[in-house]
Amino acid sequence: MRESLKQKIVEVCTRKIEQKGDNVGLSFYAFFANKNDDPQLLMEAAQWWIMTQRFDHFEKAVKIRAIVQAMP
């Protein structure tokens, strides 16, 4: 996963946790604007979320952030 996507995921997760608490859930769409302006990046996130991690549609932001921060 490219570094810019990792940073975006950590930023969004942190912001959502601060706003709504540790129990907040997110889908991978949370990391993108409502318009599809970078389909390749969206597919990269979807591939990681669905195929690599086998996440459900919604996962806890604290879990997502911890996994991404542990990635090399």
Side-chain angles (χ1 to χ4, degrees), residues 2 9-10 21 33 47 51 53:
R2 64 183 92 174
I9 290 171
V10 170
Q47 173 80 23
M51 302 300 289
Q53 297 299 320

Side-chain angles (χ1 to χ4, degrees), residues 44-61:
E44 184 177 333
Q47 173 80 23
W48 178 80
W49 189 279
I50 297 165
M51 302 300 289
T52 304
Q53 297 299 320
R54 301 201 181 274
F55 285 157
D56 289 333
H57 184 71
F58 285 96
E59 291 289 341
K60 301 294 183 201

